Amino acid sequence: MNALLVDEATVWSWLAEVPDPEIPVISVVDLGIVRGVAVQGGDAVTVTITPTYSGCPAMQVIESAVREALHRRGVEHVHVATRLSPAWTTDWMSESGKAKLTGYGIAPPAQTVQLHGSLAAAVARRASLAPTVACPHCGSTHTEMTSQFGSTPCKALYRCLACREPFDYFKCH
Ligand SMILES: [Zn+2]
């Protein structure tokens, strides 16, 4: 068999179809955990991944999903490298990824809000305990955290006080 000639852009497009095992509507690329793709000699690919947090149980699933996606396209040698530093932050998540999260009923990581004066101090004190999160169902920010841990350790459980729907919040790191 002739050596498969693959370029990095193509590998990125394949990875963009690999779903996150915890939130299947977003891909590992949307999530921002794929930090690098390197092609060696056309048929060997190294994919560098930074886990969302150390000890994330989904990482092994992600690793084998990445491997499988590339093997399926004929890449013989797939190396998945893990890079722990710099640590993943929710800023690495793509805008389309955040939009897909909301569509899926999960509040995306809260943006940093610019506030001034004593109100800002009061809000900051509250935010250090639990960030103000908009309800993915109705958009209300009248929400409260009901549990530090949602369906997975990466998420917290919230409840909307406006529409009364519970929802997952993808925690900032
Ligand atoms: Zn709501």
Side-chain angles (χ1 to χ4, degrees):
M1 178 180 157
N2 291 330
L4 174 85
L5 289 177
V6 67
D7 59 43
E8 288 169 12
T10 307
V11 174
W12 276 103
S13 72
W14 292 340
L15 293 175
E17 293 168 15
V18 176
D20 175 64
E22 293 187 349
I23 312 158
V25 289
I26 65 172
S27 76
V28 294
V29 173
D30 282 329
L31 193 57
I33 60 170
V34 179
R35 303 316 295 165
V37 169
V39 175
Q40 297 98 11
D43 68 342
V45 174
T46 298
V47 178
T48 304
I49 288 177
T50 296
T52 51
Y53 70 100
S54 56
C56 185
M59 278 315 292
Q60 289 203 324
V61 181
I62 291 171
E63 242 191 77
S64 53
V66 164
R67 233 178 264 284
E68 165 62 20
L70 300 195
H71 282 319
R72 207 170 50 233
R73 266 86 171 202
V75 179
E76 222 169 309
H77 308 286
V78 181
H79 178 60
V80 180
T82 304
R83 188 194 293 158
L84 295 176
S85 175
W88 178 85
T89 90
T90 42
D91 292 345
W92 293 356
M93 193 182 285
S94 70
E95 287 309 312
S96 72
K98 288 175 187 170
K100 285 179 209 163
L101 270 188
T102 306
Y104 191 55
I106 297 175
Q111 303 294 317
T112 310
V113 183
Q114 299 294 326
L115 290 164
H116 306 279
S118 58
L119 173 67
V123 170
R125 267 199 306 278
R126 265 199 68 204
S128 66
L129 301 172
T132 301
V133 174
C135 169
H137 305 293
C138 72
S140 169
T141 52
H142 201 44
T143 59
E144 64 176 13
M145 186 167 76
T146 52
S147 171
Q148 185 75 39
F149 295 101
S151 54
T152 75
C154 302
K155 291 172 233 158
L157 198 61
Y158 269 70
R159 185 172 58 144
C160 177
L161 301 173
C163 73
R164 309 219 151 262
E165 289 288 329
F167 63 91
D168 276 334
Y169 166 60
F170 200 101
K171 277 190 266 185
C172 290
H173 292 253

